[in-house]
Every structure is written in structure tokens, then in C-alpha cells.
Amino acid sequence: MQPQQQADTLPARDLGGPALRSFFRLAEAWQLRVAEQRKLLGDPPESTFYKWKREQDGAPGRDVIERISYLLGIFKALQILFPDPAQADAWLRRPNQAALFGGHSALERMLSGNVADLFVVRQYLDAQRG
């Protein structure tokens, strides 16, 4: 089995710890408030969220893993598009005139609670990268 095929077949529970640790590092870089973090993760119960945050481990469901995957893709795309990390991180909160955002920030779009909005922002950034 090829390495990529192995990664594709790993159960979500095996990805939980690494995904959560990556998410909390990303949340720190983006200076996300707790409410924003929870919303981006799909609004897990407070007790679950704080357990994940405290232990930096857990077994989130596939939905949470998918959300984190999109967020990491967004983070990576921003780092490629903006050589200055501070500028890359700030882009999320700046109003954006692209039709996709309608004058709102990408973070506002991402905080709708819909996983599809994370996908759309990632797709937009991937298109900007060319």
C-alpha cells in the first residue's frame, strides 16, 4: 500500500490528536477567540472543546477532521500567497470586496457554521494561488 493510500484509510480516531494539535496552533496564530474556535469546529459541546484543548488529543468525528483539514489548507494557502506571516494571518479579518465575501471578511464567511463555507474559502484561495 502506498503512503498516501495508507493516510487515506486511517480512521478519524487516529487523526484526532494530530488534527487537534494543529488546529489549536492555527487558532493561536490567527488569534481566534474561544467562540470562534468552537464555531469553526462545528460547535462541539463546551466540555468536549475544553477537553480537546486541555489534552491536545481526542477522537473528534469525521466532520471535525474535515473542518480542520479545510482550515489547514486555508492557512497553508495564505502562507504561500503572503510572504509575511502577519499579513497572511491578518487577511482573514480584513473586509474583502470579492463577490464571494460581499464586503465581509473571510473569517465572517467561515464562521457561518457551515462546512461548505470553509470549502469555498479554501477553493477561493487555491484559485488565487493559480
Side-chain angles (χ1 to χ4, degrees), residues 53 83 91:
K53 190 166 185 162
W91 179 87

Side-chain angles (χ1 to χ4, degrees), residues 39-40 42-43 67 108-117:
K39 185 64 101 171
L40 290 172
D43 277 328
R67 287 168 177 277
E108 286 178 81
R109 173 87 192 241
M110 293 162 51
L111 289 171
S112 72
N114 298 317
V115 71
D117 288 311

Side-chain angles (χ1 to χ4, degrees), residues 26-118:
L26 175 148
E28 186 176 316
W30 285 349
Q31 299 178 355
L32 297 172
R33 295 186 307 266
V34 168
E36 293 170 331
Q37 292 176 43
R38 287 188 58 221
K39 185 64 101 171
L40 290 172
L41 290 174
D43 277 328
E46 268 189 59
S47 59
T48 300
F49 172 81
Y50 283 110
K51 181 178 180 187
W52 289 342
K53 190 166 185 162
R54 181 179 63 254
E55 296 177 4
Q56 299 283 303
D57 201 4
R62 287 186 159 288
D63 176 65
V64 174
I65 297 292
E66 180 180 4
R67 287 168 177 277
I68 293 172
S69 174
Y70 286 134
L71 292 165
L72 293 174
I74 291 166
F75 180 84
K76 179 182 175 184
L78 288 172
Q79 298 302 313
I80 291 168
L81 288 168
F82 299 100
D84 174 22
Q87 187 181 17
D89 296 339
W91 179 87
L92 277 179
R93 294 184 188 276
R94 270 193 237 114
N96 193 318
Q97 295 307 315
L100 179 68
F101 303 109
H104 298 282
S105 70
L107 183 59
E108 286 178 81
R109 173 87 192 241
M110 293 162 51
L111 289 171
S112 72
N114 298 317
V115 71
D117 288 311
L118 301 177

